[in-house]
Amino acid sequence: MTDTVRIEPLGDAPATLDALSDLLIATVAAGGSVSFMHPLAPAQARAFWAGSLAAAARGERVVLGAWDGLQLLSTVTLILDCPPNQPHRAEIAKMMTAPAARGRGLALTLLREAEALARTHGRTLLVLDTASEGGASGLYERAGYVFAGEIPDYALKPHGGLTGTRLYYRRL
């Protein structure tokens, strides 16, 4: 990661919504399995992020971004809104790095920041899932997440065909 990259929680400014939407569209186009199909319409991407940032404003989650100047390079979401019997846990979701920015350590840096925020919110357990094919299993395993199992044929890949999902957890 370069010194010019800054990590920060994201708000619902129009430029931020545009940047998040562009990143989501690029991720899906590149085959990233993040719950959407290719081609992803800009209005659909923007609506997703508007809802996610509204949830962040309510304290239900934190959306983090890694910026280089005005360019959003990577994002991850820490979901804090869990059922009443699970106040000790949070979920890592929507880890995305722009294809041209991969390999710079941005995802790991965001993941560590999300973990620190989870601790601040009193969370002691993080859970996540990632696609079996083309997902970020290697990243999560290197970061100390424990593989808990795999569900076959869990979701469609962005360009079609089924993929499983791998489940991970980490105690903080």
Side-chain angles (χ1 to χ4, degrees):
M1 196 170 87
T2 65
D3 292 334
T4 61
V5 174
R6 71 184 189 285
I7 306 295
E8 63 186 16
L10 303 179
D12 64 354
T16 301
L17 278 168
D18 290 343
L20 284 165
S21 298
D22 290 346
L23 180 56
L24 179 56
I25 291 166
T27 299
V28 171
S33 185
V34 288
S35 304
F36 293 93
M37 300 299 293
H38 179 73
L40 177 57
Q44 186 180 8
R46 190 174 182 84
F48 168 77
W49 284 116
S52 186
L53 293 172
R58 292 188 301 270
E60 298 168 3
R61 64 183 60 199
V62 179
V63 180
L64 292 171
W67 296 89
D68 189 355
L70 297 176
Q71 184 178 11
L72 180 65
L73 302 176
S74 190
T75 187
V76 70
T77 298
L78 175 68
I79 299 174
L80 299 165
D81 187 29
C82 292
N85 68 338
Q86 299 166 39
H88 61 289
R89 77 168 184 87
E91 184 176 344
I92 299 290
K94 298 296 183 274
M95 173 69 78
M96 292 179 266
T97 301
R102 292 181 183 160
R104 295 174 51 185
L106 297 169
L108 182 59
T109 300
L110 281 170
L111 188 59
R112 293 301 187 220
E113 182 65 22
E115 291 168 356
L117 286 169
R119 285 184 193 95
T120 299
H121 286 276
R123 306 312 158 97
T124 58
L125 180 69
L126 291 177
V127 298
L128 63 87
D129 68 271
T130 190
S132 301
E133 297 175 41
S137 290
L139 165 71
Y140 298 123
E141 289 171 11
R142 285 189 305 277
Y145 285 74
V146 178
F147 175 64
E150 185 168 357
I151 302 170
D153 298 338
Y154 185 77
L156 289 172
K157 296 182 276 188
H159 295 277
L162 290 169
T163 186
T165 194
R166 297 174 58 89
L167 306 170
Y168 288 89
Y169 71 92
R170 181 160 190 231
R171 293 189 182 279
L172 300 177

